[in-house]
Amino acid sequence: MTILKDQKGRIAIFAIALVGIVSPIAYGGGEPLPTSDVSDSKVVPTEDLGTGNYSRFPFHVSASVRGGYDDNITTSQFNRQESWFTNAGVALTYDFGSPRTQLSLQVGGGATYYWDNPSRDDSFNNQDYDVNAYVSLTLTHKASPRLSFAASVYATYQTEPDFTLALGLNRRSGNFFFTQDKFTATYLWSPRFATATSYTFGALRYDDNNIGFFEDRIENTFGNEFKFLLWPTTSLVAEYRFQIVNYDENIDRDSTTHFVLGGFDHSFSPRFSASFRGGAEFRDYEGETRDQSSPYFEGTLNYALGKDTSISWTNRYAIEESDVLINPSRTTFRTGLRLKHNFTQRISMNAAAYYENDEYDGVDTSTAFSPSFSEEAFDAAVSLRYAITRHFAVEAGYNHTEIWSDITLREYSRNRYWGGLNVVF
């Protein structure tokens, strides 16, 4: 594969407010950062806000200290480095509700220290500590009986790869900043017909210029949905999206994409709902004669089996931005399953599994050549929590990551084990 020369550049990390759409799971040392594990806490923004929190104390703070073992902190098949690690993190949640406005906020941060980190001996990532900070906000406001607004924000600065995010590298490559944010205005034109107009902003920045050269970008997506209430539990949807992708460096990957989609939203019961969008996307690359088209679909199932069990299943097939230097794009299928279950009032479990299949497009020009190749990724995590008292608990967890690729150098496996203490107040 052709290697380009290192490029000079500055990385501009800027804060984004009042916009977002992705799962707010953040990791520190391979395990989720603490959240306020109270019975009425919510995950933002993947779950809808409820009726609001009118409690006298709407703030909840959670702090954790954990220790564990990682058998491959370099995420490499040939240069594996094992290490024990120590992790500390804190998270704050805030829920507010009124008849017209509902808000849910999560803010957290943490650091992980690897006792045998190769960065202390060479320039692996040039830092002793892994960092992780995130903010997640969901806000809805009903301006009138017909008009409502929604904003969803997610921003993170972290080191670990995150398989809940549909972008970035699937291995450790230094610190990166990511945000994906969404505004939506919904208007009810009649009892059966409504439109939802949205704008989504996304940005990705890596601290390492060698990675940022082909990864750093800004994405702007404009969308409009037309919803028709077919039955009280079912809405038919037609949707159009227009996306603009701009890379920071002159790497000839800027593009515009049109999405033409149809689908439905259906509630099987108050506890079981489904959403599906399917159609086609048409991508045009700036400054190039080539273009690309592909089927597109995305779907979500949410099921709550009583107050103790909840399940979420997401799927997507689409053209995605490439995470390698030469191959310009890829077609990706993603699926993810998340489960939360309370065995008793004291014992609870969280589990998640994500699978990804990538088909990278080849390139054969006068200046570069790289064949097409396939790659698969699997990431699974499980954690258990035992509440000793209302505020104090012990936790333990395990995470496994596996990458299979036609390019052997890109393959690796990784196992992480951890345990620790959690305090909620």
Side-chain angles (χ1 to χ4, degrees):
M1 184 178 294
T2 305
I3 305 298
L4 300 181
K5 295 183 178 179
D6 295 346
Q7 303 291 318
K8 295 183 178 179
R10 299 179 181 177
I11 297 180
I13 296 180
F14 45 95
I16 310 299
L18 297 179
V19 265
I21 64 173
V22 298
S23 303
I25 298 180
Y27 289 81
E31 65 284 349
L33 282 175
T35 58
S36 297
D37 284 324
V38 292
S39 59
D40 61 346
S41 64
K42 303 178 181 66
V43 178
V44 183
T46 57
E47 296 178 2
D48 293 334
L49 288 173
T51 57
N53 186 343
Y54 298 91
S55 168
R56 184 178 302 176
F57 303 105
F59 289 97
H60 296 283
V61 178
S62 175
S64 291
V65 176
R66 297 164 177 169
Y69 171 78
D70 190 324
D71 71 356
N72 189 3
I73 67 173
T74 54
T75 59
S76 170
Q77 180 178 355
F78 302 101
N79 186 31
R80 300 175 67 98
Q81 174 65 58
E82 303 176 0
S83 178
W84 294 91
F85 64 83
T86 303
N87 168 266
V90 63
L92 178 146
T93 64
Y94 171 72
D95 294 303
F96 168 82
S98 74
R100 296 181 61 187
T101 304
Q102 296 173 343
L103 179 147
S104 186
L105 172 69
Q106 290 186 352
V107 179
T112 302
Y113 179 80
Y114 286 98
W115 295 92
D116 296 311
N117 194 334
S119 67
R120 285 187 288 274
D121 302 321
D122 53 39
S123 58
F124 171 67
N125 59 15
N126 197 30
Q127 64 181 24
D128 286 341
Y129 293 87
D130 285 1
V131 297
N132 182 27
Y134 69 94
V135 58
S136 179
L137 171 72
T138 299
L139 173 67
T140 62
H141 176 69
K142 193 167 186 177
S144 72
R146 291 178 178 269
L147 179 63
S148 62
F149 297 97
S152 185
V153 178
Y154 181 68
T156 180
Y157 181 70
Q158 64 188 68
T159 307
E160 288 290 339
D162 195 336
F163 289 85
T164 68
L165 308 178
L167 53 73
L169 295 133
N170 56 19
R171 65 203 67 239
R172 287 167 55 90
S173 303
N175 301 333
F176 67 93
F177 170 80
F178 165 74
T179 186
Q180 191 171 30
D181 316 315
K182 187 175 185 179
F183 287 129
T184 304
T186 302
Y187 190 78
L188 184 65
W189 297 89
S190 72
R192 287 182 174 270
F193 179 69
T195 59
T197 304
S198 64
Y199 166 70
T200 304
F201 173 84
L204 179 65
R205 296 284 186 276
Y206 276 85
D207 286 0
D208 188 339
N209 290 336
N210 296 320
I211 302 297
F213 173 72
F214 61 90
E215 280 288 286
D216 291 356
R217 60 184 180 271
I218 291 176
E219 301 178 0
N220 294 278
T221 305
F222 305 86
N224 200 66
E225 286 186 343
F226 303 89
K227 293 187 176 183
F228 179 75
L229 186 64
L230 184 63
W231 298 300
T233 58
T234 306
S235 295
L236 299 181
V237 181
E239 183 178 2
Y240 170 75
R241 301 175 195 167
F242 177 67
Q243 182 183 65
I244 304 170
V245 179
N246 296 112
Y247 281 79
D248 288 357
E249 302 291 341
N250 184 22
I251 197 172
D252 294 329
R253 288 188 183 175
D254 292 357
S255 65
T256 58
T257 306
H258 301 268
F259 299 82
V260 181
L261 308 173
F264 63 86
D265 297 326
H266 178 72
S267 295
F268 297 93
S269 71
R271 298 181 180 275
F272 185 23
S273 63
S275 178
F276 175 81
R277 304 289 185 272
E281 59 179 312
F282 307 91
R283 176 170 295 197
D284 179 51
Y285 290 91
E286 184 178 328
E288 296 186 18
T289 57
R290 71 183 182 95
D291 54 18
Q292 197 172 6
S293 62
S294 171
Y296 177 96
F297 73 82
E298 61 185 38
T300 301
L301 287 174
N302 290 299
Y303 183 55
L305 183 61
K307 65 179 182 179
D308 292 327
T309 304
S310 61
I311 302 173
S312 177
W313 183 30
T314 59
N315 295 274
R316 193 179 84 163
Y317 180 84
I319 300 172
E320 291 190 0
E321 304 301 318
S322 178
D323 64 352
V324 297
L325 180 59
I326 303 301
N327 303 66
S329 63
R330 66 186 182 190
T331 304
T332 299
F333 169 71
R334 297 177 180 271
T335 184
L337 185 67
R338 297 178 60 188
L339 168 67
K340 180 177 181 180
H341 178 67
N342 298 325
F343 295 100
T344 68
Q345 291 185 345
R346 292 179 178 270
I347 303 174
S348 61
M349 177 192 72
N350 282 279
Y354 297 91
Y355 171 79
E356 173 184 339
N357 180 276
D358 300 310
E359 298 291 336
Y360 289 83
D361 299 318
V363 60
D364 186 2
T365 66
S366 59
T367 58
F369 171 77
S370 182
S372 60
F373 68 95
S374 300
E375 190 165 287
E376 295 175 281
F378 175 75
D379 183 77
V382 61
S383 64
L384 291 172
R385 185 178 191 271
Y386 178 76
I388 300 174
T389 68
R390 180 181 179 184
H391 301 288
F392 184 74
V394 293
E395 301 174 312
Y398 168 72
N399 180 226
H400 175 75
T401 303
E402 193 85 28
I403 305 295
W404 304 275
S405 178
D406 291 342
I407 301 177
T408 306
L409 289 173
R410 291 178 56 84
E411 294 185 331
Y412 76 88
S413 64
R414 186 184 188 189
N415 296 284
R416 284 162 284 178
Y417 312 83
W418 59 269
L421 305 176
N422 173 248
V423 179
V424 179
F425 53 91

